[in-house]
Amino acid sequence: MRKIMSWVLAATLVCGASAFTSCSNNDDNPVAGKSLAEKIVGKWIHADTNGEAVTTDMKSVYTFTKDGGSALKGFYSMSMTESGVWSYRQETDLTISGNAITMTSRLADGQQSVVELTAVTVSGDDLRFTAKTTLSKDGQVTATYGPRQEHFTRAEADYTEAVLGLWEITFTSDDPEFESPEPTRELYRADGTCTFYELVDEQWVEYKEVTNSEYFIDGPMVFIRWQESEEMMYENWEVVSSENGKQVNKSVRKHDDGSTYTIYANLTKVE
């Protein structure tokens, strides 16, 4: 039904939690302390790591908020295949000291990730950091990653309401292998569940092999997972546009040789 990339937990946490790094030129727009806390407020999407663009199935979303002048809070959303990570606005313990941000996430089974971020630039819609991630379990360090150069871009739009309803979808791609002229249908409900349909003998029926399908949205990112036979499948899409009953989503993915291709989901609202 769908083709997706798979990744291990360590890669997930590095690309998600270490998610803020990039250029090492710290003279562009140095920030510190209160200034840094003010500048990073908002929603940010992972764009590239060490100058290499991040595929959609590796993208994560970070949100920094300040409620009524209170302390800064940090959240992340991400969904990955082999790691089984499925996190919607996971809250982190966040501290800022000078140009350094520390984000601590308590994970399942006694695991913990500590991400040490050193701010390089926060300029307009660009957020660039250098980061080191330390993973531990029951107090024992299990792995460290970084420092890595990462780049996030600001995300203004949120499509939580726009995606609700029943859509008819066709898939196009710059790689003919992933073209799908036959339409499918997908129903997205406000409770976070979704249903997939296929056309059989001119009748729309649910995919028999798909169960436990659900989704969440953070900014322009749509995170979906479903059970197919014994396997849980994960898929990420980024909304390109949504208006007047039409929506276009895209997903940038990698071939085995490392080259990339893009799939476009072209959605039309079913009345």
Side-chain angles (χ1 to χ4, degrees), residues 86-144:
W86 179 256
S87 298
Y88 171 61
R89 287 180 61 87
Q90 172 69 49
E91 186 168 2
T92 68
D93 294 334
L94 185 151
T95 60
I96 295 180
S97 177
N99 279 22
I101 300 174
T102 301
M103 301 177 70
T104 302
S105 303
R106 291 171 177 81
L107 310 174
D109 302 324
Q111 298 181 81
Q112 177 176 276
S113 73
V114 177
V115 182
E116 299 166 273
L117 309 172
T118 302
V120 176
T121 64
V122 185
S123 178
D125 294 338
D126 279 350
L127 180 59
R128 301 175 184 266
F129 286 82
T130 299
K132 176 183 177 182
T133 301
T134 302
L135 305 180
S136 63
K137 180 177 174 63
D138 299 327
Q140 299 295 316
V141 173
T142 56
T144 58

Side-chain angles (χ1 to χ4, degrees), residues 76-88:
Y76 66 83
S77 293
M78 64 179 68
S79 168
M80 304 291 173
T81 304
E82 285 189 357
S83 64
V85 170
W86 179 256
S87 298
Y88 171 61

Side-chain angles (χ1 to χ4, degrees), residues 204-265:
W204 288 103
V205 298
E206 289 188 37
Y207 277 94
K208 294 180 180 179
E209 69 273 22
V210 172
T211 60
N212 301 321
S213 48
E214 58 184 332
Y215 77 100
F216 65 81
I217 295 170
D218 199 350
M221 291 297 299
V222 183
F223 301 88
I224 310 168
R225 71 175 179 178
W226 66 92
Q227 190 86 27
E228 192 165 340
S229 298
E230 299 297 320
E231 188 175 3
M232 184 65 80
M233 311 291 286
Y234 296 74
E235 192 168 270
N236 299 349
W237 293 86
E238 187 168 359
V239 179
V240 176
S241 63
S242 182
E243 59 181 354
N244 300 324
K246 300 285 186 179
Q247 185 169 303
V248 177
N249 301 341
K250 72 175 181 179
S251 182
V252 179
R253 305 176 186 184
K254 275 188 178 182
H255 291 293
D256 291 341
D257 64 4
S259 61
T260 61
Y261 62 97
T262 303
I263 300 177
Y264 292 93

Side-chain angles (χ1 to χ4, degrees), residues 165-179:
L166 178 64
W167 301 86
E168 190 162 314
I169 308 172
T170 58
F171 296 92
T172 56
S173 176
D174 52 14
D175 183 333
E177 180 183 353
F178 298 94
E179 295 273 355

Side-chain angles (χ1 to χ4, degrees), residues 149-168:
Q149 305 286 317
E150 309 249 358
H151 173 206
F152 267 46
T153 56
R154 190 183 295 276
E156 299 291 348
D158 186 280
Y159 294 93
T160 302
E161 297 295 328
V163 304
L164 295 176
L166 178 64
W167 301 86
E168 190 162 314

Side-chain angles (χ1 to χ4, degrees), residues 37 40-43 63-67 70-75 89:
I40 67 174
V41 168
K43 194 176 296 291
T63 305
F64 297 98
T65 65
K66 293 189 79 174
D67 297 326
S70 62
L72 187 71
K73 294 182 179 180
F75 307 83
R89 287 180 61 87

